[in-house]
């Protein structure tokens, strides 16, 4: 498609008459590799194992991309879409925490509705650009845009209406056997079956994406690959000899499990490159990197023992500890001999009624005598919510105690982040007061709300996962002209993508965005979002009237 073919058919269309909304004749493809680790990818590129990524790295940009704190799927992709850090998106996990009188009262899954009108996808769509969005986390429910939406991680189930237009779902499932996520009934402990299933799901999605991409009826195409994240969580110990659970004999069989998925991704990227013309830019990004997970920290149990959390009934903790020890012994022996039962156990524990009775929950807490608690974030970062009125005193006391938290002689807290310092907070901020980062190998383990603590020890062995997220994601930029060969980018951040994409199309960058333009694309046209939103909403109303008139004329 040539540049002059992309102009509006109607020169009087308000969407195209303003200079700020002028197309500068570029098409953009963004491929997200969820959990794409910089060091791992660089290693395989240098070894020549990922030939297409190697070509992109040699003829374009390949650099680290700093992700969000926390480095989790939900917050990172929300920041990618909005150009804002979690302090403004209020996305810290995959759920929204409700409060009443300073006490947590419940959670609700986050949806695209929480931040849709602040995304660059929305702004591009209103500007008349056709956008295809495939499998991006937190894009459920699918919104009506100028293009296509296929929702990703965060969609309630495969039975949900996850596409716009709605009829696209049937086409994808009948022609490609499309699935959003691997089947949760297939346990990763059943390694051979799980790996085959993950690869099958990935291949079917890749075929569907190539089909949609080949139609050329888009200006921006965004596709996120999640299977890289899945296998890294469960097969990391087989590629890391320093992992305490690394078994050389098993590594011979499963040491290439993660690579098999990356190889499939690389081959897909090669097919995309062949479809590109000289007016197309390709961005490849990830939302976080990966590192080993060996020990988990039952953080709320630590807070209970240090009297930061006070329980209504102290005897429940003692009884619970005994029952937990018995339960863990039974679970370990059963799963060892019947790995397929693991998926059933995990589904049972994720049930709110079951977990409330089996674990210490928010209902067991005496909130009037509690200073702080942790909730969510299964990873190397744990959030701390302070419910005491004297927040500064709690921060000081807790920081001192955390630096003493150790596993034998190993101090396990790497860094403590005060969100007043790392976030530019919005006026409706309701997130954590602190983030605690553990040293390599240690992760926070918090069960689903309303549960707060499980286990009888503060530090235990990670029973299922062997890999977790870290802050170093990836960024690659490429075009067929070799425009970016030898270009160096320093200090790139995931929030920089949204303003960069807008600037490529000469669209104004709303002043609420925290990110900056990369490589000096376009001209910076930062505007007051409140004023810009009035213009955008006017364009929306005009577009809505046009649709109604068009429908009536058909009738």
């Amino acid at each position: 498609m040539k540049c002059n073919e992309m102009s509006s058919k109607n020169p009087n269309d308000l969407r195209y008459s303003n200079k700020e909304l002028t197309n500068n004749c570029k098409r953009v493809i963004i491929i997200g590799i969820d959990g794409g680790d910089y060091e791992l990818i660089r290693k395989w590129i240098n070894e020549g194992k990922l030939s297409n990524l190697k070509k992109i790295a040699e003829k374009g940009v390949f650099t680290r991309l700093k992700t969000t704190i926390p480095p989790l799927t939900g917050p990172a992709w929300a920041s990618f879409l909005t150009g804002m850090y979690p302090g403004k998106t209020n996305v810290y996990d995959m759920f929204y925490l409700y409060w009443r009188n300073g006490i947590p009262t419940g959670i609700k899954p986050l949806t695209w509705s929480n931040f849709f009108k602040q995304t660059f996808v929305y702004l591009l769509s209103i500007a008349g650009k056709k956008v295809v969005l495939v499998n991006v986390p937190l894009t459920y429910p699918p919104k009506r845009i100028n293009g296509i939406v296929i929702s990703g991680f965060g969609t309630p189930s495969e039975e949900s209406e996850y596409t716009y237009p709605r009829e696209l779902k049937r086409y994808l499932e009948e022609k490609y056997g499309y699935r959003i996520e691997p089947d949760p009934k297939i346990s990763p402990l059943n390694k051979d079956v799980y790996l085959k299933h993950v690869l099958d799901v990935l291949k079917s999605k890749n075929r569907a994406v190539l089909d949609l991409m080949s139609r050329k009826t888009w200006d921006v195409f965004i596709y996120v690959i999640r299977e890289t994240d899945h296998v890294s969580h469960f097969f990391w110990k087989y590629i890391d000899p320093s992992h305490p659970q690394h078994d050389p004999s098993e590594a011979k069989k499963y040491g290439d499990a993660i690579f098999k998925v990356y190889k499939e991704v690389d081959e897909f990227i090669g097919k995309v490159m062949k479809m590109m013309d000289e007016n197309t830019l390709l961005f490849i990004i990830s939302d976080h990197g990966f590192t080993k997970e060996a020990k988990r920290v039952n953080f709320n149990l630590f807070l209970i023992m240090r009297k930061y959390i006070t329980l209504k009934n102290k005897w429940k903790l003692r009884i619970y500890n005994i029952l937990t020890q018995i339960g863990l012994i039974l679970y370990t022996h059963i799963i060892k001999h019947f790995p397929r039962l693991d998926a059933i156990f995990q589904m049972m524990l994720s049930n709110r009624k079951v977990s409330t009775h089996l674990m210490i929950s928010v209902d067991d807490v005496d909130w009037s005598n509690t200073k702080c608690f942790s909730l969510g974030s299964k990873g190397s970062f744990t959030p701390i919510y302070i419910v005491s009125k004297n927040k500064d005193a709690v921060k000081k006391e807790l920081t001192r105690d955390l630096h003493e938290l150790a596993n034998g002689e190993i101090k396990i807290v790497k860094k403590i982040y005060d969100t007043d310092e790392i976030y530019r907070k919005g006026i409706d901020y309701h997130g954590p007061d602190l983030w605690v980062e553990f040293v390599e190998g240690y992760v926070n383990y918090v069960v689903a709300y309303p549960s707060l603590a499980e286990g009888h020890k503060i530090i235990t062995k990670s029973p299922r996962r062997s890999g977790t997220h870290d802050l170093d994601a990836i960024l690659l930029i490429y075009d067929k002209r070799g425009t970016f060969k030898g270009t160096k980018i320093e200090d790139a951040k995931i929030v920089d993508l949204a303003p960069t994409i807008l600037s490529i199309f000469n669209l104004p960058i709303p002043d609420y965005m925290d990110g900056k333009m990369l490589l000096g694309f376009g001209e910076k046209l930062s505007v007051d979002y409140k004023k810009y939103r009035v213009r955008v909403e006017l364009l929306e109303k005009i577009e809505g009237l046009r649709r109604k008139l068009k429908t009536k004329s058909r009738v």
Side-chain angles (χ1 to χ4, degrees), residues 167-234:
E167 57 269 21
L168 180 59
K169 178 186 176 184
R170 182 176 178 181
Y171 172 78
L172 294 172
E173 291 178 348
E174 289 183 354
K175 187 168 183 178
Y176 297 105
Y178 190 94
R179 284 190 63 91
I180 300 170
E181 291 278 300
D183 190 342
K185 294 177 183 176
I186 300 176
S187 172
L189 299 183
N190 196 359
K191 294 183 277 290
D192 295 308
V193 175
Y194 178 77
L195 183 59
K196 181 183 182 302
H197 175 63
V198 167
L199 283 167
D200 288 344
V201 171
L202 173 59
K203 289 174 182 177
S204 69
K205 271 193 286 203
N206 287 348
R207 288 193 295 270
V209 167
L210 291 171
D211 177 359
L212 297 174
M213 195 176 287
S214 66
R215 303 184 186 197
K216 304 291 185 183
T217 55
W218 49 268
D219 299 305
V220 178
F221 198 111
I222 308 168
Y223 170 43
V224 172
I225 296 167
R226 287 265 303 145
E227 287 70 23
T228 40
D229 181 87
H230 291 303
V231 293
S232 296
H233 274 302
F234 296 104

Side-chain angles (χ1 to χ4, degrees), residues 396-409:
K396 186 176 180 180
E397 180 186 4
L398 183 58
T399 298
R400 183 185 66 246
D401 287 345
L402 286 172
H403 284 305
E404 296 175 1
L405 182 57
N407 183 20
E409 296 182 357

